[in-house]
Amino acid sequence: MISLYMQPDLTLVMQGRIRKDNTFEVIETVELPSYYEAFSQGGTEGVFTLVRMFRDLRAHLPVNAQEIYIVLPDVLFNTINCYEYISDDSLRIAVEEDLSDSLDNYYYVIPVHTVSPAPLRRSVYTLEKNTLDDIIEAAKQEKITLSSVEPASFAFYRAAGHWEMDTPLVEVFKESACIVTYSPSDGIFRLDCDRISEHKLEMAKEHVDSIVSEVYSANLITESQKFSNFRPGDDVHYTVLTNRPSILEIEAIRMRLPKDMPGFPEYVEPGNLMPDEQTRWMPLLGTLFQEYDARDSLNNPLYDKVPQIVQLRTANLLPEEVRTSSRNQQWRGMLQKTSKGLVATFLGVMAIEAAAIFFLSTDIPQSLQSDYATVQKEGPAVDAEIGVVRAALAEDQNVPAAYEALVRNRPDGLGFASVTIGLANVETKKGTAGDTRYASVRVVSNNELTFETFRGQLSSEPIFDAPVINNITAENNLKTAELKIAKGAMKP
């Protein structure tokens, strides 16, 4: 697994893996030039810049057999905000008011849901579609297995694991800066604050401390407006992500840093990263931690401190069909490479066998002819028995738990028209168009956003994998969609 943090000033790269004992190992870290200009270029020029980034990555690390996780700075997102949740319609209206545009022009994720007794809120990240589409196109051209595109703040929160704490996170770059604040009782919002960018702080000189204090105070004021349970105090600590250690030495910043700067969890082997370097690498580590979500939830170390009032979902903006296509492309490449090796080996063996038969004998022994005749006669019956066993093994798996997960994640305003779980004879249906090999759900709602909410919530269930929305139709103000869902990693 490889993660790239595409910052405006440079590109951080981390390669890591989850060991068999469930610990995480950082294998290698690299710093590459910035390719952030791709997002201002857009179109063909932007895609070409991103292609160069992937080629640069390939020159440093073995990319072809790896899944790639992209981390984007929060300043790139169009909006990051938390909203009171009354209905899907009211949520969409509130988001579109912030965007001053239709939500149809954006990719979005809703990774944090707060529930009673806390206020009912949803935290939404929105990103212009062209931005993500350019990344997808560049990855496709370079045959990159793209698995995730995620905001830096949420990846950081996942790595830190302190879901029970209010956490302001400051991201400082050369020409831009922002503060993203998480509250377990209310959600996430962003405050843009270019006044504390590296360039502006350098220009301010003797006024640096007062500028930082003003920006932090503005964040506290905004926090008191956004968060209903916010109680200002003197112990608010701001974690700062920066590539320039001198920024952390500014007195107004230093005095508000956590007493212990966030570092890697104890189950992570940090490789060559020293403790004082780990904070700025945490978004890269956190996005790779998504792989833990596919494992047994009982052994997942990421969410031990999640309060009951918080429900976490994926923050991966990458459409599931893109992830599936990218993964299939990777497997095709691996199979083609393996097949070439097998063909070469097979031809070599055949050449040896042919030489042996030619030189040693031109007659087939009678005993071998008899064995061959027996196999020809009994083989179909044996194959039929094997087929019965395979079909039995492929019959429905853990249906009650799957149905319970579907019902538990059903959002308000969404109804089930039909549910199919555990398709029979799975092995014989692989490759069949439209077959998802585990579950199919037809759902009905008067709001299309509800379908995406349902799909996103199912993505976090370990019993499911790769839920995809297909065939949305509309009739009499009602919309119908079909969700195809593959089998997850959770065992019955």
Side-chain angles (χ1 to χ4, degrees):
M1 301 181 294
I2 297 174
S3 56
L4 288 85
Y5 186 1
M6 294 183 60
Q7 299 180 359
D9 310 330
L10 55 81
T11 304
L12 299 179
V13 181
M14 174 184 289
Q15 181 183 7
R17 67 185 180 99
I18 299 177
R19 295 165 167 167
K20 291 182 179 180
D21 63 357
N22 226 32
T23 59
F24 190 95
E25 177 186 10
V26 176
I27 299 173
E28 189 171 357
T29 57
V30 180
E31 293 187 8
L32 301 179
S34 174
Y35 295 92
Y36 195 78
E37 61 181 339
F39 303 126
S40 59
Q41 294 168 333
T44 303
E45 190 176 359
V47 170
F48 180 70
T49 298
L50 293 167
V51 165
R52 287 195 294 109
M53 178 187 73
F54 287 130
R55 290 177 180 176
D56 195 2
L57 175 65
R58 184 175 277 116
H60 288 81
L61 294 173
V63 171
N64 291 346
Q66 301 279 345
E67 294 187 344
I68 306 300
Y69 294 69
I70 304 291
V71 177
L72 299 178
D74 290 82
V75 294
L76 186 61
F77 286 77
N78 298 84
T79 57
I80 302 173
N81 210 343
C82 52
Y83 304 89
E84 289 283 351
Y85 180 79
I86 301 174
S87 66
D88 291 328
D89 285 336
S90 66
L91 177 60
R92 185 183 184 98
I93 290 171
V95 174
E96 290 184 336
E97 285 179 352
D98 275 358
L99 290 169
S100 299
D101 196 4
S102 170
L103 193 55
D104 294 336
N105 298 323
Y106 301 84
Y107 290 107
Y108 63 91
V109 288
I110 311 176
V112 179
H113 297 207
T114 57
V115 297
S116 181
L120 301 183
R121 287 172 171 254
R122 302 291 183 264
S123 296
V124 184
Y125 290 78
T126 64
L127 182 69
E128 190 173 353
K129 281 190 173 180
N130 290 340
T131 300
L132 183 51
D133 288 342
D134 286 350
I135 297 175
I136 293 170
E137 177 59 29
K140 181 179 179 181
Q141 290 185 21
E142 286 301 295
K143 294 181 169 57
I144 295 293
T145 305
L146 199 59
S147 291
S148 173
V149 176
E150 191 173 34
S153 57
F154 200 80
F156 174 89
Y157 298 142
R158 188 187 293 112
H162 296 301
W163 301 103
E164 81 286 6
M165 297 171 51
D166 284 11
T167 308
L169 179 68
V170 187
E171 298 170 56
V172 178
F173 305 111
K174 186 174 182 179
E175 300 293 344
S176 63
C178 69
I179 303 176
V180 181
T181 306
Y182 162 81
S183 166
S185 62
D186 290 282
I188 299 173
F189 78 91
R190 180 190 68 194
L191 178 70
D192 292 325
C193 46
D194 292 349
R195 293 181 66 199
I196 59 171
S197 67
E198 292 178 7
H199 179 69
K200 292 289 180 63
L201 291 177
E202 288 174 356
M203 296 288 291
K205 296 182 180 179
E206 66 270 15
H207 303 296
V208 164
D209 288 326
S210 62
I211 291 175
V212 171
S213 296
E214 289 173 6
V215 168
Y216 281 7
S217 296
N219 191 70
L220 288 177
I221 293 171
T222 307
E223 193 171 356
S224 65
Q225 297 170 346
K226 293 284 185 183
F227 296 161
S228 58
N229 295 324
F230 175 70
R231 297 293 181 269
D234 297 329
D235 58 346
V236 179
H237 301 297
Y238 287 77
T239 298
V240 179
L241 299 182
T242 177
N243 297 309
R244 293 184 58 184
S246 60
I247 295 292
L248 302 179
E249 298 302 319
I250 295 173
E251 178 61 20
I253 290 178
R254 187 189 61 77
M255 65 184 294
R256 294 177 176 87
L257 292 174
K259 294 179 181 178
D260 296 314
M261 285 289 282
F264 294 172
E266 61 181 10
Y267 54 88
V268 175
E269 170 55 53
N272 62 347
L273 290 175
M274 300 301 292
D276 60 349
E277 298 179 302
Q278 292 175 9
T279 300
R280 73 185 183 110
W281 290 88
M282 286 183 68
L284 292 101
L285 179 69
T287 198
L288 295 179
F289 277 178
Q290 290 179 81
E291 283 300 303
Y292 278 106
D293 293 341
R295 298 187 169 212
D296 187 345
S297 59
L298 294 177
N299 296 321
N300 195 329
L302 304 181
Y303 307 113
D304 293 341
K305 298 181 180 179
V306 178
Q308 291 186 346
I309 59 174
V310 178
Q311 294 180 356
L312 300 176
R313 305 287 187 257
T314 178
N316 185 355
L317 290 111
L318 198 64
E320 190 56 47
E321 59 270 22
V322 175
R323 293 183 59 194
T324 301
S325 175
S326 182
R327 196 180 303 118
N328 289 343
Q329 176 179 274
Q330 180 190 34
W331 279 106
R332 281 195 299 270
M334 292 173 64
L335 286 172
Q336 288 172 358
K337 184 176 181 180
T338 303
S339 297
K340 290 178 181 178
L342 289 175
V343 168
T345 303
F346 175 74
L347 291 176
V349 170
M350 286 300 295
I352 294 172
E353 292 296 327
I357 291 173
F358 180 81
F359 287 109
L360 297 180
S361 175
T362 57
D363 297 322
I364 300 175
Q366 185 62 39
S367 60
L368 185 57
Q369 293 185 44
S370 177
D371 290 344
Y372 177 76
T374 301
V375 170
Q376 290 292 94
K377 180 179 179 181
E378 299 181 0
V382 173
D383 289 341
E385 291 296 326
I386 292 174
V388 171
V389 172
R390 285 179 174 171
L393 290 173
E395 294 284 340
D396 59 32
Q397 301 135 16
N398 211 11
V399 171
Y403 185 73
E404 186 275 335
L406 290 172
V407 173
R408 174 163 38 83
N409 286 281
R410 183 184 66 84
D412 294 338
L414 182 140
F416 292 163
S418 66
V419 177
T420 303
I421 300 173
L423 298 178
N425 302 323
V426 173
E427 293 300 320
T428 63
K429 291 187 177 181
K430 284 184 178 179
T432 304
D435 174 39
T436 57
R437 299 185 296 282
Y438 188 56
S440 177
V441 188
R442 287 187 63 79
V443 290
V444 180
S445 176
N446 60 6
N447 188 339
E448 190 173 328
L449 183 63
T450 314
F451 301 149
E452 178 58 33
T453 300
F454 187 42
R455 187 205 66 79
Q457 293 178 179
L458 293 182
S459 298
S460 65
E461 290 288 345
I463 196 171
F464 297 134
D465 183 40
V468 178
I469 299 174
N470 292 326
N471 303 326
I472 297 179
T473 59
E475 185 176 355
N476 297 328
N477 295 324
L478 283 179
K479 297 183 179 180
T480 302
E482 184 174 19
L483 272 76
K484 298 285 190 177
I485 312 168
K487 190 77 171 71
M490 190 180 82
K491 300 296 187 294

